[in-house]
Amino acid sequence: MTTAPPSAGSPGAPAAGSASFGAFVARAYARGELVVQPRMGFGDPGLMREGLERTRAAEAVTVGTLTLDSYTRVNDLPAARRAVAEGVPLNGYPLCTHSPAVSRDLLDGVHGPRFPVQVRHGSPKPEHIVAALLSVGLDATEGGPVSYCLPYGRTRLDEAVASWRTACAMLAAAGGTTPDGRTAGGGTAAGRAADRWRADPRPADDEPASPGDPVRLPHLESFGGCMLGQLCPPSMLVAISVLEGVFFARHGLRSISLSYAQQTSPAQDLEAMAALRALSDELLPDIDRHLVVYAYMGVYPTTRSGALSLLEAAARLAVESGAARLIVKTAAEAHRIPTIADNVEALETAARAARSAVRRPPVASDLDTEVYAEARALVHTVLGLHEDIGEALLLAFRQGLLDIPFCLHPDNAGLARSFIDSDGRLRWSDTGRLPLPVTAVAAARKLTSADLLTALTRVQRTYDPGGIR
Amino acid sequence: MNSTPGPMNFSHAGAAPSVLLTGTSSDAHTWNLVYLQLVLEEIGHTVANLGPCPPDELVVRSCLDLRPGLVVVSSVNGHGFNDGLRLIRALRADPELAGTTVVIGGKLVTDGLRNVGMVRRLTAAGYDRVFDDGELADFRAMAARSPYRAVS
Ligand code: B12
């Protein structure tokens, strides 16, 4: 891709030569290259290793992924153990079930400064996963107290917030920082939080992370840009991402990324990315950070050509909007767990599309948008609720000031509704109690199953041959 | 684990539901549940939607409490065969639920293939019907025939 002069080095950028995930991405960004990453996970360690090796060898600048299986995500480790023992195919890698030695072998010689690996999971209570990843020498992962709770089951939001405080502290402690950002040694608050969790015996047979490695800079990405995968207005996605970033920073993380998933309108997506950049510049000035684009996270095109052209559009969005990393989807998305070959094809397709796109320098008028105005109102309303960001998030959901359309979770107010407008943009049909100008255009008519399916399949129908039907 | 103890979404507060709709213990997906609830309501059912990731005991207890005429299990995360098998054994182990109609559907395995052995094992374990990903018309027809449907 052709680039504007690099501007990646945010104030807290890690030193060149660092082994960290954030530093790898920052170096690629400075060279004008988009990092592409799969969402790959297999139950079998041999296959998982091969998947990482072939991701690394793909013709693209890549980082690796261990996507964990659903039993590990919900902390049903007995079920994961039984599945491994009985050879039941899993939808991801059971990191807490295979022994640390098996996982270290699988990473050995693949994971390293030139190929950092991130653990992706979807767990509202991730302490067992964070302990396991640290114990096998990894320190990059993903999630957040909101984005890994409301879309991922029935765990209460207050429990998820408490767990994510501990998880952040464990990660931060592995990098030698405390929640207030000071560099510190052994008896810190962060260290104590991690110890407290370790003292409570859970099934993971973890080992303490190696302390005090000066180049270890744990990385945490917010999944806030993907809430429920689809039909969530971009302003809300941006707001959750930024708020989770603030949560991570206040809990001691020094290297983070904020996400946004491609939605129904390319123009609106660019506006959302500009809003995400501006709000993170404003609220997270002093830490290493980058922006991540996800290829569409909702109902995917069923055809190969449709799936790959949607992915190419996501790659263009990532480059044009100045994202540093792209999470790809494969041509198998609508059908089954993708194979290694499906993933390699997606990585190389995305990298090709990225090379022909141009990074657009930000201009002031980028923020003259509905998305930015809404996202800014949401973020600042929430930050004003309480000095503790976790409490602020809980209050916001309790009061319906944050509200995710179509989310069944009982800690979500469920008053706000969204729709795809005639110009293709995702907007609020009912703002419920959101701190936004009131709209309630949908209240008149009850949504039918056919209406819902039409909205859910809009992107799929746009990209599958035959066009929008 | 502290989690939500009951249904996440009722069609008609107070009324006994004609259908209990549920995900499986490891499956977090909800759009399938939101969609199927609308489908069932449109053919006259009242629905208690248990939501995602219900432990097996919660499904059993909800069946005993609510006495639905039809139980619909939906799973798309690829663990549906494994989780569904465990769930139906738990349901059928209770003599009071031996006669309840229970069906399952979605994307039940990770390779996207319809597999005759899987369907046979699920029905042998106690499901009355196993629906493939695309069999929505058959599902509607079956649900519309259910004698427990509220008259609409
Ligand atoms: C949106 C989405 C998500 C969102 C879900 C948010 C939420 N709360 O719902 C997020 C991003 C959180 C997510 C997470 C995960 N996902 Co997901 N997700 C999707 C996606 C893109 C769309 C699903 C959707 O919304 N469909 C719309 C609804 C209305 O339809 P449906 O669910 O497809 O169900 C239809 C049929 O199956 C059928 N049906 C379903 N149930 C039943 C029951 C009966 C009785 C009948 C008759 C019919 C029926 O009716 C529906 C309408 O046709 C699909 C891929 C795709 N389709 O494009 C993957 C997909 C379902 N996810 C998948 C996986 C594996 C996961 C994860 C485990 C992460 C991972 N490893 O990739 C986690 C889940 C964690 C967990 N604990 O389970 C896989 C499942 C693979 C498989 N079965 O082989 C898919 C297919 C993607 C893939 N190719 O890898 N996901």
Coordinates of all heavy atoms in Angstrom, one line a residue, chain A residues 369-428:
Chain A
T369 N -19.5 14.5 11.8 CA -20.4 13.4 11.5 C -21.3 13.1 12.6 O -21.0 13.3 13.8 CB -19.6 12.2 11.1 OG1 -18.9 11.7 12.3 CG2 -18.6 12.4 10.0
E370 N -22.4 12.4 12.3 CA -23.4 11.9 13.2 C -22.7 10.8 14.1 O -22.9 10.8 15.4 CB -24.5 11.3 12.5 CG -25.7 10.7 13.3 CD -26.7 10.1 12.4 OE1 -26.4 9.3 11.5 OE2 -27.9 10.4 12.6
V371 N -21.9 10.0 13.5 CA -21.2 8.9 14.3 C -20.3 9.5 15.4 O -20.4 9.1 16.5 CB -20.3 8.0 13.4 CG1 -19.7 6.9 14.2 CG2 -21.1 7.4 12.3
Y372 N -19.5 10.5 15.0 CA -18.6 11.1 16.0 C -19.4 11.8 17.1 O -19.2 11.6 18.3 CB -17.7 12.1 15.4 CG -16.8 12.8 16.4 CD1 -15.8 12.0 17.0 CD2 -16.9 14.1 16.6 CE1 -14.9 12.6 18.0 CE2 -16.0 14.7 17.6 CZ -15.1 14.0 18.2 OH -14.3 14.6 19.1
A373 N -20.5 12.6 16.7 CA -21.2 13.3 17.7 C -21.9 12.3 18.7 O -21.8 12.5 19.9 CB -22.3 14.1 17.0
E374 N -22.4 11.2 18.2 CA -23.1 10.2 19.1 C -22.1 9.5 19.9 O -22.3 9.4 21.1 CB -23.8 9.2 18.2 CG -25.1 9.7 17.6 CD -25.9 8.6 16.9 OE1 -25.5 7.4 17.0 OE2 -27.0 8.9 16.3
A375 N -21.0 9.1 19.3 CA -20.0 8.3 20.1 C -19.4 9.2 21.2 O -19.2 8.7 22.3 CB -18.9 7.9 19.2
R376 N -19.1 10.4 20.9 CA -18.6 11.4 21.9 C -19.6 11.6 23.0 O -19.2 11.6 24.2 CB -18.3 12.7 21.2 CG -17.3 13.6 21.9 CD -17.1 14.9 21.3 NE -16.9 15.8 22.4 CZ -15.7 15.8 23.1 NH1 -14.7 15.0 22.7 NH2 -15.6 16.6 24.1
A377 N -20.8 11.7 22.7 CA -21.9 11.9 23.7 C -21.9 10.7 24.6 O -22.0 10.8 25.9 CB -23.2 12.2 23.1
L378 N -21.9 9.5 24.0 CA -22.0 8.3 24.8 C -20.8 8.1 25.7 O -20.9 7.9 26.9 CB -22.0 7.0 23.9 CG -23.3 6.9 23.0 CD1 -23.1 5.8 21.9 CD2 -24.5 6.6 23.9
V379 N -19.6 8.3 25.2 CA -18.4 8.1 26.0 C -18.3 9.1 27.1 O -18.0 8.7 28.3 CB -17.1 8.3 25.0 CG1 -15.8 8.4 25.9 CG2 -17.0 7.1 24.1
H380 N -18.6 10.4 26.8 CA -18.4 11.4 27.9 C -19.5 11.3 28.9 O -19.3 11.5 30.1 CB -18.3 12.8 27.3 CG -16.9 13.0 26.8 ND1 -15.8 13.4 27.6 CD2 -16.4 12.9 25.5 CE1 -14.7 13.5 26.8 NE2 -15.0 13.2 25.6
T381 N -20.7 10.9 28.5 CA -21.8 10.6 29.5 C -21.3 9.5 30.5 O -21.5 9.7 31.7 CB -23.1 10.2 28.8 OG1 -23.5 11.3 27.9 CG2 -24.2 10.0 29.8
V382 N -20.8 8.5 29.9 CA -20.4 7.3 30.8 C -19.3 7.7 31.7 O -19.3 7.4 32.9 CB -20.1 6.1 29.9 CG1 -19.6 4.9 30.8 CG2 -21.3 5.6 29.1
L383 N -18.3 8.4 31.1 CA -17.1 8.7 32.0 C -17.5 9.7 33.1 O -16.9 9.7 34.2 CB -16.0 9.4 31.1 CG -15.3 8.4 30.1 CD1 -14.3 9.2 29.3 CD2 -14.6 7.3 30.9
G384 N -18.6 10.4 32.9 CA -19.1 11.4 33.9 C -19.9 10.7 35.0 O -20.2 11.3 36.0
L385 N -20.2 9.4 34.9 CA -21.1 8.8 35.8 C -20.4 8.4 37.2 O -21.0 8.4 38.2 CB -21.7 7.5 35.3 CG -22.7 7.7 34.1 CD1 -23.1 6.3 33.6 CD2 -23.9 8.4 34.6
H386 N -19.1 8.1 37.1 CA -18.4 7.6 38.3 C -16.9 7.7 38.0 O -16.5 7.5 36.8 CB -18.7 6.2 38.5 CG -18.5 5.7 39.9 ND1 -17.2 5.5 40.4 CD2 -19.3 5.5 41.0 CE1 -17.2 5.1 41.7 NE2 -18.5 5.1 42.0
E387 N -16.1 8.0 39.0 CA -14.7 8.1 38.7 C -14.0 6.8 38.4 O -13.0 6.7 37.8 CB -13.9 8.8 39.9 CG -14.0 8.1 41.2 CD -13.4 8.8 42.3 OE1 -13.2 10.1 42.2 OE2 -13.1 8.2 43.4
D388 N -14.7 5.7 38.9 CA -14.2 4.3 38.6 C -14.8 3.9 37.3 O -16.1 3.8 37.2 CB -14.5 3.4 39.7 CG -14.0 2.0 39.4 OD1 -12.9 1.6 39.7 OD2 -14.8 1.2 38.8
I389 N -14.0 3.5 36.3 CA -14.6 3.2 35.0 C -15.5 2.0 35.0 O -16.5 1.9 34.3 CB -13.4 3.1 33.9 CG1 -13.9 2.7 32.6 CG2 -12.3 2.2 34.4 CD1 -14.7 3.7 31.8
G390 N -15.1 1.0 35.9 CA -15.9 -0.2 36.0 C -17.3 0.1 36.5 O -18.4 -0.3 36.0
E391 N -17.4 0.9 37.6 CA -18.6 1.3 38.1 C -19.4 2.2 37.1 O -20.7 2.0 37.0 CB -18.4 2.2 39.4 CG -17.9 1.4 40.6 CD -18.8 0.3 41.0 OE1 -20.1 0.5 41.0 OE2 -18.3 -0.8 41.3
A392 N -18.7 3.0 36.4 CA -19.4 3.9 35.4 C -20.1 3.0 34.3 O -21.2 3.2 33.9 CB -18.4 4.8 34.7
L393 N -19.4 1.9 33.9 CA -20.0 1.0 32.9 C -21.2 0.3 33.4 O -22.2 0.2 32.8 CB -18.9 0.0 32.4 CG -17.8 0.5 31.5 CD1 -16.7 -0.5 31.4 CD2 -18.4 0.9 30.1
L394 N -21.1 -0.1 34.7 CA -22.3 -0.8 35.3 C -23.5 0.1 35.4 O -24.6 -0.2 35.1 CB -21.9 -1.4 36.7 CG -20.9 -2.5 36.6 CD1 -20.5 -2.9 38.1 CD2 -21.5 -3.7 36.0
L395 N -23.2 1.4 35.9 CA -24.3 2.4 36.0 C -24.9 2.7 34.6 O -26.1 2.8 34.5 CB -23.7 3.7 36.6 CG -23.5 3.6 38.1 CD1 -22.7 4.9 38.5 CD2 -24.8 3.5 38.9
A396 N -24.0 2.8 33.6 CA -24.5 3.1 32.3 C -25.5 2.1 31.8 O -26.5 2.4 31.2 CB -23.3 3.3 31.4
F397 N -25.1 0.8 31.9 CA -26.0 -0.2 31.5 C -27.3 -0.3 32.3 O -28.4 -0.5 31.8 CB -25.3 -1.6 31.4 CG -24.5 -1.7 30.1 CD1 -23.2 -1.5 30.1 CD2 -25.2 -2.0 28.9 CE1 -22.4 -1.6 28.9 CE2 -24.5 -2.1 27.7 CZ -23.1 -1.9 27.7
R398 N -27.1 -0.1 33.6 CA -28.3 -0.2 34.5 C -29.3 0.9 34.1 O -30.5 0.7 34.1 CB -27.9 0.0 35.9 CG -28.8 -0.7 36.9 CD -28.1 -0.8 38.3 NE -26.9 -1.6 38.3 CZ -25.8 -1.3 39.1 NH1 -25.8 -0.2 39.8 NH2 -24.8 -2.1 39.0
Q399 N -28.8 2.1 33.7 CA -29.7 3.2 33.4 C -30.1 3.2 31.9 O -30.8 4.1 31.5 CB -29.0 4.5 33.8 CG -28.8 4.6 35.3 CD -27.9 5.8 35.7 OE1 -27.8 6.8 34.9 NE2 -27.4 5.8 36.9
G400 N -29.6 2.3 31.1 CA -29.9 2.3 29.7 C -29.2 3.4 28.9 O -29.6 3.7 27.8
L401 N -28.1 4.0 29.5 CA -27.3 5.0 28.8 C -26.4 4.3 27.8 O -26.0 4.9 26.8 CB -26.5 5.8 29.8 CG -27.4 6.6 30.8 CD1 -26.5 7.2 31.9 CD2 -28.1 7.7 30.1
L402 N -26.1 3.1 28.0 CA -25.5 2.2 27.0 C -26.5 1.1 26.9 O -27.0 0.6 27.9 CB -24.2 1.6 27.5 CG -23.0 2.6 27.6 CD1 -21.8 1.9 28.1 CD2 -22.7 3.3 26.3
D403 N -26.8 0.7 25.6 CA -27.9 -0.3 25.4 C -27.7 -0.9 24.0 O -27.5 -0.2 23.0 CB -29.2 0.5 25.5 CG -30.4 -0.5 25.5 OD1 -30.3 -1.7 25.3 OD2 -31.6 0.0 25.7
I404 N -27.5 -2.2 24.0 CA -27.1 -2.9 22.7 C -28.4 -3.5 22.1 O -29.1 -4.3 22.7 CB -26.1 -4.0 23.0 CG1 -24.9 -3.5 23.9 CG2 -25.6 -4.6 21.7 CD1 -24.2 -2.3 23.3
P405 N -28.7 -3.0 20.9 CA -29.9 -3.6 20.2 C -29.9 -5.1 20.1 O -28.9 -5.6 19.8 CB -29.9 -2.9 18.9 CG -29.0 -1.7 19.0 CD -28.0 -2.1 20.0
F406 N -31.0 -5.7 20.3 CA -31.3 -7.2 20.1 C -30.4 -8.0 21.1 O -30.3 -9.2 20.9 CB -30.9 -7.6 18.7 CG -31.8 -6.9 17.7 CD1 -31.3 -5.8 16.9 CD2 -33.1 -7.2 17.5 CE1 -32.0 -5.2 16.0 CE2 -33.9 -6.6 16.5 CZ -33.4 -5.6 15.8
C407 N -29.9 -7.4 22.1 CA -29.1 -8.2 23.1 C -30.0 -8.8 24.1 O -30.7 -8.1 24.8 CB -28.0 -7.4 23.7 SG -27.1 -8.2 25.0
L408 N -30.0 -10.1 24.3 CA -30.9 -10.8 25.3 C -30.4 -10.7 26.7 O -31.2 -11.0 27.6 CB -31.0 -12.3 24.9 CG -31.8 -12.7 23.7 CD1 -31.8 -14.2 23.6 CD2 -33.2 -12.2 23.8
H409 N -29.2 -10.3 26.9 CA -28.6 -10.3 28.3 C -29.4 -9.4 29.2 O -29.8 -8.3 28.9 CB -27.2 -9.8 28.2 CG -26.4 -10.2 29.4 ND1 -26.6 -9.6 30.6 CD2 -25.4 -11.1 29.6 CE1 -25.7 -10.1 31.5 NE2 -25.0 -11.1 30.9
P410 N -29.8 -10.0 30.4 CA -30.6 -9.3 31.3 C -30.0 -8.0 31.9 O -30.8 -7.1 32.4 CB -30.9 -10.2 32.5 CG -30.0 -11.4 32.2 CD -29.4 -11.3 30.9
D411 N -28.7 -7.8 31.8 CA -28.1 -6.5 32.3 C -28.1 -5.5 31.2 O -27.5 -4.4 31.3 CB -26.7 -6.8 32.8 CG -26.7 -7.6 34.1 OD1 -27.7 -7.5 34.9 OD2 -25.8 -8.4 34.3
N412 N -28.7 -5.8 30.1 CA -28.8 -4.8 29.0 C -30.3 -4.3 29.0 O -31.2 -5.1 29.1 CB -28.5 -5.5 27.7 CG -28.5 -4.6 26.5 OD1 -27.7 -3.7 26.4 ND2 -29.4 -4.8 25.5
A413 N -30.5 -3.0 28.9 CA -31.9 -2.5 29.1 C -32.8 -3.0 28.0 O -34.0 -3.2 28.2 CB -31.8 -0.9 29.1
G414 N -32.3 -3.1 26.8 CA -33.1 -3.6 25.7 C -34.2 -2.7 25.2 O -35.2 -3.1 24.7
L415 N -34.0 -1.4 25.4 CA -35.0 -0.4 24.9 C -34.6 0.2 23.6 O -35.4 0.7 22.9 CB -35.1 0.7 26.0 CG -35.6 0.3 27.4 CD1 -35.5 1.5 28.4 CD2 -37.0 -0.2 27.3
A416 N -33.3 0.2 23.3 CA -32.8 0.8 22.1 C -32.9 -0.2 20.9 O -32.8 -1.4 21.1 CB -31.3 1.2 22.2
R417 N -33.3 0.3 19.8 CA -33.4 -0.5 18.6 C -32.7 0.1 17.4 O -32.6 1.3 17.3 CB -34.9 -0.7 18.2 CG -35.5 -2.0 18.9 CD -34.9 -3.2 18.3 NE -34.7 -4.2 19.4 CZ -35.6 -5.2 19.6 NH1 -36.7 -5.4 18.9 NH2 -35.4 -6.1 20.6
S418 N -32.2 -0.7 16.5 CA -31.5 -0.2 15.3 C -32.2 -0.6 14.0 O -33.0 -1.5 14.0 CB -30.1 -0.7 15.3 OG -30.2 -2.1 15.3
F419 N -31.9 0.1 12.9 CA -32.4 -0.4 11.6 C -31.4 0.0 10.6 O -30.5 0.9 10.8 CB -33.8 0.2 11.3 CG -33.8 1.7 11.0 CD1 -34.2 2.1 9.7 CD2 -33.4 2.6 11.9 CE1 -34.2 3.4 9.4 CE2 -33.4 4.0 11.6 CZ -33.8 4.4 10.3
I420 N -31.5 -0.6 9.4 CA -30.6 -0.2 8.3 C -31.4 0.8 7.4 O -32.5 0.5 6.9 CB -30.2 -1.4 7.4 CG1 -29.5 -2.4 8.3 CG2 -29.3 -0.9 6.3 CD1 -29.2 -3.7 7.6
D421 N -30.9 2.0 7.4 CA -31.7 3.1 6.7 C -31.6 3.0 5.2 O -30.8 2.2 4.7 CB -31.0 4.5 7.1 CG -32.1 5.6 7.2 OD1 -33.1 5.4 6.5 OD2 -31.8 6.6 7.9
S422 N -32.4 3.7 4.5 CA -32.4 3.6 3.0 C -31.1 3.9 2.3 O -30.8 3.4 1.3 CB -33.6 4.5 2.4 OG -33.4 5.8 2.9
D423 N -30.2 4.7 3.0 CA -28.9 4.9 2.4 C -27.9 3.9 2.9 O -26.7 4.0 2.6 CB -28.4 6.3 2.9 CG -28.4 6.5 4.4 OD1 -28.7 5.5 5.1 OD2 -28.0 7.6 4.8
G424 N -28.4 2.8 3.5 CA -27.5 1.7 3.9 C -26.8 1.9 5.3 O -26.1 1.0 5.7
R425 N -27.0 3.0 5.9 CA -26.4 3.3 7.2 C -27.2 2.6 8.3 O -28.4 2.5 8.3 CB -26.3 4.8 7.5 CG -25.2 5.4 6.6 CD -25.3 6.9 6.7 NE -24.2 7.5 5.9 CZ -23.1 8.1 6.4 NH1 -23.0 8.2 7.7 NH2 -22.2 8.5 5.6
L426 N -26.4 2.2 9.3 CA -27.1 1.6 10.5 C -27.4 2.8 11.5 O -26.5 3.5 11.8 CB -26.1 0.7 11.2 CG -26.2 -0.8 11.1 CD1 -25.0 -1.4 11.8 CD2 -27.5 -1.2 11.7
R427 N -28.7 2.9 11.8 CA -29.1 4.0 12.7 C -30.0 3.5 13.8 O -30.5 2.4 13.8 CB -29.8 5.1 11.9 CG -29.0 5.8 10.9 CD -29.6 7.3 10.7 NE -28.6 8.1 9.9 CZ -28.6 8.1 8.6 NH1 -29.4 7.4 7.9 NH2 -27.7 8.9 8.0
W428 N -30.3 4.4 14.7 CA -31.2 4.1 15.8 C -32.6 4.3 15.3 O -33.0 5.3 14.8 CB -31.0 5.0 17.0 CG -29.6 4.9 17.6 CD1 -28.5 5.8 17.4 CD2 -29.1 3.8 18.4 NE1 -27.4 5.3 18.0 CE2 -27.7 4.1 18.6 CE3 -29.6 2.7 18.9 CZ2 -26.9 3.3 19.4 CZ3 -28.8 1.8 19.6 CH2 -27.5 2.1 19.9

